Amino acid sequence: MIRLLAIDIDGTLLDSQGRVPDAHRDALTEVVRRGIRVALVTGRSFHFTRQVSGALPFPLTCIVNNGAVIKDPAGTTVVRNVLARDAALDILEHTTAYDDCVGLVFDRPPGPDEHRQIICDRMDWSHPDRSGYYARNRAFITTVSPLSHALTDDPIQVMFNGSVEHMRG
């Protein structure tokens, strides 16, 4: 007996415009009606996933940040695996050549710091490789300089976003 359906968001649940097609929503609604729980699984943050889950008329579990965070249907964190603050500081210290393409990703609860989920120092968000990500996550991105000052708590990840050539440099 199937008890859980875990479904990827990008390229699976969402169409090319980033919307949940009616046929997908209806199929998942039928799955839930049959007593099967649904989980959204994505590399994206919970805050982005919340926009998608809001388009579905039933409660679901969210497995986000590449599995580092699991939220129950009420949005309560069930599992949270973070990167130690000291490890993140060490990474930043040893990757200064990539300061223009590094960011910190957090899982902060609703409240005054909710907009500070993704923090960078001087990322060029107009770059074609980044502009779509920025457009989707703009409400949760802020800047802090130097970036190490943003490490007031443990992040989910240190994110590097750049071209392959730049990363190999």
Side-chain angles (χ1 to χ4, degrees):
M1 167 170 205
I2 298 173
R3 296 188 305 187
L4 173 70
L5 174 64
I7 187 165
D8 179 49
I9 292 176
D10 295 315
T12 305
L13 177 63
L14 300 181
D15 64 17
S16 60
Q17 284 78 43
R19 296 180 302 230
V20 178
D22 292 344
H24 293 183
R25 186 196 64 239
D26 295 347
L28 289 175
T29 300
E30 177 60 20
V31 164
V32 171
R33 188 193 67 71
R34 292 180 184 201
I36 299 170
R37 295 181 65 192
V38 174
L40 296 182
V41 183
T42 183
R44 296 183 183 275
S45 70
F46 174 70
H47 298 84
F48 171 80
T49 306
R50 212 170 35 185
Q51 298 167 357
V52 176
S53 64
L56 299 170
F58 49 81
L60 43 77
T61 299
C62 293
I63 303 170
V64 297
N65 294 96
N66 294 313
V69 177
I70 301 175
K71 304 265 187 178
D72 70 12
T76 303
T77 301
V78 177
V79 173
R80 185 171 178 263
N81 294 300
V82 296
L83 178 63
R85 180 182 172 274
D86 289 342
L89 283 167
D90 192 47
I91 291 167
L92 292 177
E93 181 180 310
H94 288 89
T95 58
T96 56
Y98 305 102
D99 283 352
D100 63 336
C101 61
V102 65
L104 300 170
V105 179
F106 293 90
D107 175 48
R108 293 183 166 144
D113 278 341
E114 182 176 16
H115 70 285
R116 297 168 51 93
Q117 300 295 335
I118 303 163
I119 302 175
C120 60
D121 181 345
R122 53 190 167 102
M123 185 100 54
D124 175 10
W125 291 108
S126 65
H127 189 281
D129 293 341
R130 300 180 187 122
S131 59
Y133 181 86
Y134 179 72
R136 289 187 301 272
N137 293 283
R138 178 180 331 209
F140 308 111
I141 298 173
T142 192
T143 58
V144 171
S145 185
L147 190 55
S148 59
H149 287 182
L151 284 167
T152 56
D153 53 320
D154 297 333
I156 296 297
Q157 73 183 61
V158 178
M159 165 184 75
F160 292 89
N161 182 326
S163 67
V164 173
E165 296 81 28
H166 182 62
M167 294 291 127
R168 286 186 179 152

